[in-house]
Amino acid sequence: MAYVPGVALLAALVVGCSAGADGNANGADSKAGSPTVTPAPPGKYLTLPAPCRAVPRSTLKDLLPGAAELPGDQQDKVFRGSAAVTYDTDRKVGCSWKSDAPSATRSLSIDFERVVSYDPAVSDDDRADTVYAKKEKAAGLSSSATPGPPEEKDKKGEESEGSEESGKTKDPAGADATGSADPSPSGSSSESGQDTDGAPGSSSSPEEALPSRILDNLGDAAFLQDLPKRAGSTAQHHSVSVVFRTSNVVVTVRYAEQPALITQVPDGRELQEKAQALARKLAEALSE
């Protein structure tokens, strides 16, 4: 009888431990029943192209006037380009070229950035879209806000066209001066800017390039930033950047001209067209 309390205590402890184990098991079962998070899919691109070989020599000859007339060694050096200094070539690479001609200096650079998301709930593509959106915002553009203004402008344009058969403004000194100078459809498209996508319009002087804008049919998202730098009333330097995203890669093309004489004005429209053409070639090469 002296040992009965001890036996009873031991039995109580065993029962308590069993109850605790059952409680943990029940808790584990309840957690196991919760929905599992499926990791977001990886991006399409696992590597990046060699940037200094990404632009064909024939394209470089067109973009860098005067380079083809240089002696052999100098010509090869120009077309070879200079690789950007990066510490992770799987994530970011770039290359630049420069050609000095008697009339002007042309420079070109391209950058590839492969975006990787380290959050299993966020895909590489979504993370790349965030990176692209920051660049778009820094350029003073917003793809989410662009559908509104062009539609309003187009609506106003339709009202104006409805009131006048020729499509010209009633006041020759009004905002649609270019339309009065050229009654072709391109006059109205250059006014809205964002819907032209670099199409030639009625420009009376070289510096009248289309403004910075969102671009269509280039990768998953794209924009163009036009940056003329002026000294007094004359544009001495003109730079154009085209940025686009395709899957988890963000590409930047920069193309610029510096005239030899202060009185010369770069053709901004030509710079935009050539920068866009190169961006489309790079997008096509990435998709192959």
Side-chain angles (χ1 to χ4, degrees):
M1 294 300 293
Y3 296 100
V4 171
V7 174
L9 178 60
L10 180 59
L13 290 173
V14 171
V15 172
C17 292
S18 300
D22 292 339
N24 291 337
N26 293 335
D29 289 341
S30 63
K31 292 181 180 179
S34 61
T36 22
V37 178
T38 303
K44 177 180 178 181
Y45 301 101
L46 303 178
T47 60
L48 291 172
C52 292
R53 295 199 296 270
V55 184
R57 195 182 185 95
S58 58
T59 303
L60 289 174
K61 287 181 179 180
D62 179 55
L63 295 173
L64 305 173
E69 284 73 38
L70 294 172
D73 293 343
Q74 296 181 29
Q75 184 181 140
D76 291 339
K77 183 178 180 180
V78 170
F79 291 139
R80 191 181 307 124
S82 301
V85 178
T86 59
Y87 299 98
D88 188 351
T89 54
D90 285 335
R91 295 289 300 278
K92 193 170 185 178
V93 295
C95 192
S96 60
W97 298 263
K98 185 178 180 181
S99 174
D100 295 319
S103 60
T105 296
R106 293 282 182 101
S107 59
L108 169 70
S109 69
I110 58 174
D111 293 291
F112 297 90
E113 181 178 359
R114 186 175 69 90
V115 182
V116 178
S117 173
Y118 295 101
D119 185 347
V122 180
S123 68
D124 292 347
D125 283 19
D126 288 342
R127 176 59 182 157
D129 189 51
T130 300
V131 172
Y132 165 83
K134 289 181 180 179
K135 294 178 181 291
E136 189 180 88
K137 184 177 180 181
L141 301 169
S142 175
S143 57
S144 60
T146 49
E151 290 177 1
E152 294 176 2
K153 291 182 180 179
D154 292 342
K155 184 176 181 181
K156 292 178 181 178
E158 292 175 359
E159 293 174 356
S160 175
E161 291 176 0
S163 61
E164 297 179 303
E165 295 179 357
S166 64
K168 299 179 182 179
T169 58
K170 295 180 181 180
D171 183 5
D176 195 22
T178 56
S180 61
D182 184 1
S184 63
S186 59
S188 60
S189 64
S190 63
E191 183 183 23
S192 61
Q194 292 176 341
D195 295 331
T196 60
D197 200 16
S202 57
S203 176
S204 59
S205 59
E207 70 270 18
E208 291 182 3
L210 295 172
S212 302
R213 60 199 181 278
I214 303 298
L215 300 177
D216 296 326
N217 304 319
L218 177 56
D220 296 318
F223 71 86
L224 181 148
Q225 185 177 23
D226 189 82
L227 294 172
K229 293 184 179 179
R230 298 178 178 274
S233 59
T234 304
Q236 296 185 27
H237 179 272
H238 203 123
S239 176
V240 172
S241 294
V242 176
V243 181
F244 70 90
R245 178 184 73 84
T246 174
S247 185
N248 62 317
V249 170
V250 179
V251 182
T252 301
V253 175
R254 297 182 185 88
Y255 188 43
E257 178 181 344
Q258 175 71 53
L261 300 177
I262 193 173
T263 55
Q264 293 178 322
V265 179
D267 189 340
R269 191 176 292 269
E270 178 196 5
L271 294 175
Q272 289 193 16
E273 290 174 351
K274 291 188 174 183
Q276 289 183 79
L278 175 56
R280 295 186 190 283
K281 288 182 179 180
L282 295 175
E284 291 173 2
L286 282 170
S287 62
E288 292 177 353

